[in-house]
Amino acid sequence: MAKESETVSKKGKVAPRNPLPRRDPKERVRDFEEVALGFDEEAARAEARRCLQCKRPTCVEGCPVGVDIPGFILALAEERFAEAVRVLKDRNNLPGICGRVCPQETQCEKVCVVSRRGEPVAIGALERFVAAWEGEHMPEAGVPGFGTEVPKDRDKRAGDTLLSYELKHRGARGPKVGVIGSGPGGLTAAAELARYGYRVTIFESLHAAGGVLRYGIPEFRLPREILDREVEYVKGLGVEIETDVLVGKTVTLEELREEEGFEAFFVGTGAGLPWFLGIPGENLAGVYSANEFLTRINLMKAYRFPEYRTPVRVGKRTAVIGGGNTALDSARCAQRMGSEATLLYRRTRAEMPARAEEVENALEEGVALKELAVPVRMVGDEEGHVRGVECQRAELGEPDASGRRRPVPIEGSEFVVEADTVVVAVSTSPNPLLPKAEPRLRTRSDGRLVVDPETGETSVPGVFAGGDIANDAGTVIAAMGDGKRAAAAIHEYLQRKRGSGSQVP
Amino acid sequence: MSKFQVMSKRIMAPEVTRLEVQAPRVARKAQAGQFVMVRFDERGERIPLTIAEADPEKGTIAIVFQAVGHSTREMAKLAVGESLANMLGPLGQPTEVRRYGRVVCAAGGVGIAFIYPEIKAFAEAGNEVISILAARTKELLFYVDEIRELSSELHLATDDGSLGHHGLVTDVLRGLLEQGEHYDYCIAIGPIPMMKATAELTKEYGLPTLVSLDPIMVDGTGMCGGCRVTVGGEVKFACVDGPGFDGHLVDFEELTKRKRTFREEEERCRLEEAADELEEESER
């Protein structure tokens, strides 16, 4: 090791974790700019030196895509930043996104050895730093397996990056693979497949790529230039993205296979079907699903209405029902649009499935939290517009299947939370559209596709799936892990299909 | 050729425009009753529009719209050769086209554009189609010749009496039913009050009636739930379960109220446009 670790002194004390600077809540609640600010070089270096460089790094096991975490952190500690980029991107195609939205506290950082003595290494913040450094210093991303010499005949004007040049001239002429959906799973699968040398087309139903990263996660958590850059990176690998195609309606998998020559597919269509509570008054005007509310704001930029033409109605008081990240995102959006947002959650803060950091951010921004509130009815006015949510107070009973204590409503404890905007953010399930259109795709009772847990292969040979359409992890990184594994399985499937001798796709 | 390019343009009636748009994938799959989500430009909203015609060989579809909101006013200004930013489709369930026998098709206003593909499909399936087209005034009637071709009877009605029957589409239908005409199926497409009134009338006669709804929508693929409607006491998403529903079961009251959600925003858009126009005028 080049430099001695500064984490654990001889007395076994742990140096404090370098905090990720965040913008002042009073200031940030007025706009949609990013909340967290990244590390500067000095902070990144200092934090990197807290890493123990464990011989058997448990953090890597905690990472769904198996990033060589000590490897990239060591490069950082030694100020070999380009090397850090290389090591990180070897396993993770979208570090700028993961560094921001991954729940590191339940994954890599949770099992970080340093955390036994104090706070774990800020792996997420370091990942984010590396992605930012790459953006600033390496517009032509360093990708493993490619030379560093820029060929002389490369056409700079055509916008060729070193990588796209390499791919064009190395000849990404392998079989065609279709990727359905451009969310984190689809983007990762596509990038991996392109790196294997396949000709990859992503089909996206919306008008912009990114899936939940685009329509679901607000800009103050994931700035759009970061997302755009990662999407451009995937395109730079030679991946084509065809928007405005809803597979199952615009074209079927069968047609893509028979008529357009696609030999295998990755389905990453996510969990786009919003759940409602099924309580009276839910169809009053002013009641949105979180999907609708966030899509209007994030994808359609309704917060800039009328410059952007999609409206969103946010009243004086917004009640958001739910306790997950989506509920928090909705409440924080409402707060930014000048509304007083209240979260109605049926359990208590301790049971909230949202990331602790985001709960803290939301409360700092003035979002109110009403715990143990179970909505029973929405109240409207004569015009049919929502005016409030009637709730019952609950107490926590025995733990349920999820291990969390079940809320038990107390009879006669009804109260009304005034609200002229209500966002229902209770859950989503897979959009049934594709499985319905492709009856050979077998589904489980919860609507998810039946897949081989190892490979992601569905009941239809050559069709693989991952992310929320197949598993219920519900995180960006889990979808990326699925995409990565499925890409490897697709590679194997296609090689097998072409005969065992063939190495090149 | 750029995607979603306008291949031809026709003014069907004052404020009503028909655009034939290049969209080969959509054209190939489109069936009666389906729609597309259209976005005018990079800042535009996504709006649902029924596919009025589809030509798989040319790879085009036709959309017909009335310039009532910001997006449709912008779209009406598009010239041949220009393009729409986005078009997704075909969406929604195709109409179940069966051979019922005698099918009465009633349309009001721009609903005429949306009933035209239904009339075509039902006539092609061997039904006798009786058409009733209504509008505020005679200039607002269109597709009249095309629909006459496909219908055994064609009735016209105008609110001001400038052509055909002086009155509403339901007056004509009621007259026919009272005369003892028998129909096996009814399709009613138009403004909500018109569909509601038609469904109430046909219910009296036990005549099964299909209506086509266009509630508020964002994605059109079942993701936002903005288009939820109550049909027979159940919540349905018009974009994936519809847009065609049994008119006798639709909760029109709720639909009307939900459609008013963004009334103020629409008004604001309209005022800003008017202000822009005034400014342009004065600059000239």
Side-chain angles (χ1 to χ4, degrees), chain A residues 255 259-260 282 289 313, chain B residues 25 28-29 224 228 265:
Chain A
E255 286 161 348
E259 296 166 24
E260 301 191 27
E282 215 166 9
S289 72
R313 201 84 190 287
Chain B
R25 286 195 193 273
R28 217 186 118 178
K29 304 287 269 192
C224 79
R228 57 196 189 277
E265 285 75 10

Side-chain angles (χ1 to χ4, degrees), chain A residues 287-308:
Chain A
V287 182
Y288 302 94
S289 72
N291 266 4
E292 179 180 2
F293 190 68
L294 291 173
T295 300
R296 285 181 181 275
I297 293 169
N298 300 331
L299 173 71
M300 307 308 297
K301 296 189 188 289
Y303 69 93
R304 288 166 70 179
F305 179 88
E307 182 197 352
Y308 283 78

Side-chain angles (χ1 to χ4, degrees), chain A residues 203-207 215 242-246 249-252 255-256 259-260 272-274 276 282-289 291-292 295-296 299-300 305-313 382-385 431 433 436, chain B residues 3-4 25-26 28-29 34 39 42-46 70 85-94 216-219 221-226 228-230 235 237 240-241 254 257-258 260-265 268-269 272:
Chain A
F203 297 97
E204 165 59 48
S205 69
L206 290 172
H207 55 261
Y215 73 76
E242 195 179 338
T243 56
D244 300 299
V245 176
L246 179 59
K249 284 281 185 190
T250 312
V251 67
T252 62
E255 286 161 348
L256 289 172
E259 296 166 24
E260 301 191 27
L273 181 75
F276 288 91
E282 215 166 9
N283 290 353
L284 288 165
V287 182
Y288 302 94
S289 72
N291 266 4
E292 179 180 2
T295 300
R296 285 181 181 275
L299 173 71
M300 307 308 297
F305 179 88
E307 182 197 352
Y308 283 78
R309 299 300 181 177
T310 303
V312 66
R313 201 84 190 287
E382 290 141 27
E383 298 273 290
H385 200 99
N431 192 327
L433 205 141
K436 261 192 206 161
Chain B
K3 251 180 153 184
F4 314 125
R25 286 195 193 273
V26 186
R28 217 186 118 178
K29 304 287 269 192
Q34 292 189 295
R39 200 167 70 117
E42 287 309 314
R43 292 180 303 154
E45 57 181 337
R46 298 168 63 95
H70 176 82
N86 303 94
M87 179 181 276
L88 172 68
L91 302 172
Q93 297 300 323
I216 289 166
M217 266 180 212
V218 185
D219 60 291
T221 66
M223 214 179 81
C224 79
R228 57 196 189 277
V229 288
T230 304
V235 177
F237 286 3
V240 287
D241 301 321
E254 181 187 274
K257 286 174 177 167
R258 283 191 61 79
R260 281 197 221 122
T261 305
F262 299 113
R263 219 173 13 178
E264 281 171 33
E265 285 75 10
R268 191 169 153 201
C269 250
E272 294 209 1

Side-chain angles (χ1 to χ4, degrees), chain A residues 29-85:
Chain A
V29 76
R30 289 198 291 258
D31 60 41
F32 277 75
E33 309 280 312
E34 194 168 17
V35 166
L37 306 166
F39 280 155
D40 56 18
E41 273 190 30
E42 199 186 318
R45 217 165 33 227
E47 186 61 24
R49 288 180 188 154
R50 292 182 70 233
C51 174
L52 298 174
Q53 294 295 319
C54 305
K55 287 254 159 50
R56 269 204 236 126
T58 44
C59 52
V60 179
E61 289 160 30
C63 174
V65 297
V67 167
D68 176 4
I69 293 168
F72 94 80
I73 293 184
L74 179 64
L76 271 185
E78 294 174 353
E79 295 177 46
R80 290 178 291 117
F81 297 122
E83 174 68 5
V85 173

Side-chain angles (χ1 to χ4, degrees), chain A residues 2 33 46 70 81 112 149 157 216 253 290 298 352 366 382 432 494 502:
Chain A
E33 309 280 312
F81 297 122
C112 171
E149 289 293 310
R157 282 164 309 176
L253 288 179
N298 300 331
M352 279 171 81
E382 290 141 27
L494 288 171
S502 139

Side-chain angles (χ1 to χ4, degrees), chain B residues 146-190:
Chain B
E146 289 89 337
I147 290 173
R148 183 178 286 124
E149 278 291 283
L150 298 162
S151 313
S152 66
E153 278 173 43
L154 173 69
H155 303 270
L156 301 175
T158 48
D159 293 359
D160 63 359
S162 53
L163 188 67
H165 175 83
H166 187 163
L168 303 172
V169 78
T170 38
D171 301 337
V172 178
L173 182 57
R174 182 178 292 280
L176 292 167
L177 288 165
E178 279 172 1
Q179 279 169 37
E181 290 285 343
H182 174 81
Y183 306 112
D184 301 294
Y185 198 59
C186 171
I187 304 171
I189 307 180

